């Protein structure tokens, strides 16, 4: 059975919410000692979040410098620059049946793909998603991996039609595991800690591939993991399968990350690392970048109140999880200090993360004369009554935060390309170079996409930017993991 794909750890963004039903809001009265105009609040916000070309250039240069420092020594910069141990990228020659398992949240997804080599490429794909029971998120390692293995077994039993395992082969899996891992090889990695609401006992410090392989053995399921990858690396591999010019992959969704193809001789902290191709994929973990970012008081307050204050600052300025919350904090300030929403401030507006990035997107898409959709969203989400001038100010706030996010993301991409260009002596900007993008924020927010592209063009100039193709690669990480299982298969010599 095929079902719609779930998104990966850093790729989710859109959840449906109806704005049609107007429920009566609960009000919390805010007593103010004299209202002031909201204009200075908006002016200060726009000044603090401005991203003129010199700011973008500084961010791009700092990103490139932090990449080099992170490659020189562990802890050399904010960027972890993690080795993926992927030195065999999909070539198109791969043949046979391969599986992928994507574990990155409260669901896991299983996928199979039948590959037909250069001529037929992807013959067929099929996938299912399985919800993880709440109790297993707090259970033991053995319980969780036994449940995942049983889901794999049920999915494998439905194999048929165009899916056929060649005689004498064991089914191989690409395992997308989107939790903090210290990767040891292409098919092993130690779990550093669980995140995203998981508190499974007995896994931290263990090889997650071994945990899965042992669970499959307990079930008598003849499968083995041949590639352990993170979702961004999977996106690059999935896009590279179709286009040899793909050099970078970026996920912009609830969270964000980027990876790129690096020469092994440039990785000073891993001298002696052997690679048959002389290249590997580096997972930058760029959400931790923080150098020279234009931040407002609202960013600092949100960061201080977060579960990881002082960390993931780039992610907190450009990713889908946080854009709506920054806007909410600005609106709350305008409601309390100014007269934006009248004399009372609804209780809802005090709730962190009640305003989500899809709400910002919907408000920015409103082209009606009276901004009716904006008014409806403000009322239904936060209990706010608004007139046209109020709605215009809210849209202006949304645009300020989203413009900064998109332009900073564009500067980050240029920073990666700049570092690659300097090392390759002109082999990046002098030819077609593709950046594969995935994630709901990039896919579903047209203004964000436009601001990102504009920043890239401004930084590189019209001539060079023509060679840099920023391309959407929808749900590339799932099939990318299966393709990496194929590229690193023990049967690769048969292809």
């Amino acid at each position: 059975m095929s079902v719609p794909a779930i998104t990966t750890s850093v790729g989710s963004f859109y959840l449906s919410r109806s704005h049609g039903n107007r429920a009566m809001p609960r009000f919390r009265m805010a007593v103010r000692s004299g209202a002031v105009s909201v204009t200075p609040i908006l002016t200060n916000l726009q000044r603090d979040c401005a991203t003129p070309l010199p700011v973008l250039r500084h961010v791009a240069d700092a990103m490139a410098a932090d990449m080099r420092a992170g490659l020189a020594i562990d802890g050399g910069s904010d960027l972890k620059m993690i080795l993926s141990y992927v030195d065999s990228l999909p070539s198109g020659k791969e043949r046979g049946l391969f599986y992928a398992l994507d574990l990155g949240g409260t669901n896991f997804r299983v996928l199979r793909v039948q590959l037909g080599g250069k001529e037929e490429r992807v013959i067929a794909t099929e996938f299912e998603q399985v919800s993880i029971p709440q109790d297993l998120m707090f259970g033991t390692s053995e319980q969780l991996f036994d449940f995942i293995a049983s889901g794999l077994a049920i999915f494998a039993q439905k194999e048929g039609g165009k899916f056929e395992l060649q005689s004498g082969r064991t089914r191989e899996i690409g395992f997308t595991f989107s939790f903090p891992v210290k990767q040891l090889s292409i098919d092993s990695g130690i779990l550093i800690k669980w995140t995203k609401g998981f508190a499974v006992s007995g896994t931290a410090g263990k090889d997650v591939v071994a945990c899965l392989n042992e669970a499959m053995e307990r079930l008598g399921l003849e499968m083995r993991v041949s590639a352990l990858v993170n979702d961004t690396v999977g996106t690059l591999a999935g896009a590279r399968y179709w286009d040899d010019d793909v050099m970078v992959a970026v996920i912009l969704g609830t969270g964000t990350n980027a990876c790129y193809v690096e020469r092994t001789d440039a990785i000073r902290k891993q001298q002696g690392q052997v690679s048959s191709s002389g290249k590997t994929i580096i997972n930058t973990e760029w959400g931790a970048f923080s150098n020279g970012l234009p931040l407002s008081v609202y960013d600092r307050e949100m960061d201080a109140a977060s579960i990881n204050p002082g960390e993931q600052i780039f992610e907190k300025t450009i990713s889908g999880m946080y854009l709506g919350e920054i806007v909410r904090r600005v609106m709350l300030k305008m409601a309390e200090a100014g007269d934006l929403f009248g004399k009372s401030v609804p209780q809802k507006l005090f709730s962190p993360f009640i305003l989500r990035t899809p709400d910002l997107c919907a408000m920015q898409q409103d082209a009606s004369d009276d901004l009716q959709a904006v008014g409806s969203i403000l009322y239904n989400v936060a209990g706010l009554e608004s007139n046209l001038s109020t709605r215009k100010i809210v849209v202006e706030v949304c645009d300020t935060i989203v413009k900064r996010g998109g332009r900073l993301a564009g500067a980050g991409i240029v920073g990666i390309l700049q570092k690659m260009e300097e090392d390759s002596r002109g082999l990046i900007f002098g030819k077609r170079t593709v950046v594969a993008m995935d994630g709901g924020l990039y896919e579903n927010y047209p203004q964000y996409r436009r601001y990102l592209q504009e920043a890239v063009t401004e930084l590189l100039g019209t001539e060079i930017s023509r060679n840099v193709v920023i391309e959407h690669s929808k749900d590339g990480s799932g099939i990318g993991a299966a393709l990496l299982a194929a590229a690193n298969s023990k049967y690769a010599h048969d292809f």
Side-chain angles (χ1 to χ4, degrees), residues 142-205:
E142 197 168 293
Q143 289 170 333
L144 176 64
F145 282 97
D146 281 352
F147 179 76
I148 292 168
S150 68
L152 260 172
I154 292 166
F155 183 63
Q157 284 170 4
K158 300 173 186 176
E159 194 181 281
K162 294 180 179 179
F163 300 96
E164 185 180 354
L165 185 71
Q166 284 182 245
S167 177
R169 286 192 183 183
T170 300
R171 289 173 182 82
E172 293 180 296
I173 308 169
F175 185 12
T176 303
F177 186 78
S178 300
F179 297 90
V181 161
K182 179 173 175 55
Q183 192 120 6
L184 303 176
S185 69
I186 185 61
D187 60 357
S188 64
I190 302 297
L191 176 69
I192 297 168
K193 63 177 179 178
W194 289 104
T195 55
K196 306 173 193 175
F198 281 74
V200 178
S201 63
T203 324

Side-chain angles (χ1 to χ4, degrees), residues 42-56 59 292-296 299 399-401 403-405 407-408:
L42 180 59
T43 303
N44 290 339
L45 178 74
Q46 290 171 330
R47 180 199 65 216
D48 293 343
C49 295
T51 51
L53 188 56
V55 169
L56 295 180
V59 168
L293 300 176
L295 302 176
S296 68
D299 298 294
D399 188 65
T400 300
I401 300 305
K403 182 176 185 178
R404 179 187 64 172
R407 286 173 67 80
L408 288 177

Side-chain angles (χ1 to χ4, degrees), residues 310-368:
E311 299 176 13
Q312 300 297 107
I313 304 300
F314 196 48
E315 183 166 77
K316 287 170 182 172
T317 54
I318 73 170
S319 77
M321 180 172 179
Y322 300 99
L323 301 180
E325 172 60 7
I326 301 166
V327 170
R328 181 198 69 84
R329 286 174 176 272
V330 178
M331 285 168 49
L332 180 59
K333 175 71 172 177
M334 289 178 164
E336 290 186 311
D339 55 358
L340 188 62
F341 301 109
K343 294 181 180 179
S344 60
V345 184
Q347 176 76 43
K348 283 183 175 181
L349 193 58
F350 289 85
S351 302
F353 293 94
I354 191 160
L355 188 69
R356 303 167 312 124
T357 302
D359 299 320
L360 310 192
C361 181
M363 287 193 283
Q364 281 204 274
Q365 306 316 307
D366 188 357
S368 64

Side-chain angles (χ1 to χ4, degrees), residues 72 120 150 197 230 317 344-345 393 421 476 488:
E120 296 180 276
S150 68
N230 103 328
T317 54
S344 60
V345 184
I393 290 168
E421 168 75 4
N488 293 278

Side-chain angles (χ1 to χ4, degrees), residues 16 37 58 89 101 117 189 201 209 232 245 272 322 341 345 379 416 432:
S16 61
S37 168
H58 172 82
L89 282 163
L101 167 66
S201 63
V209 171
T232 319
D245 292 336
Y322 300 99
F341 301 109
V345 184
Y379 191 91
I416 293 175
R432 180 177 180 269

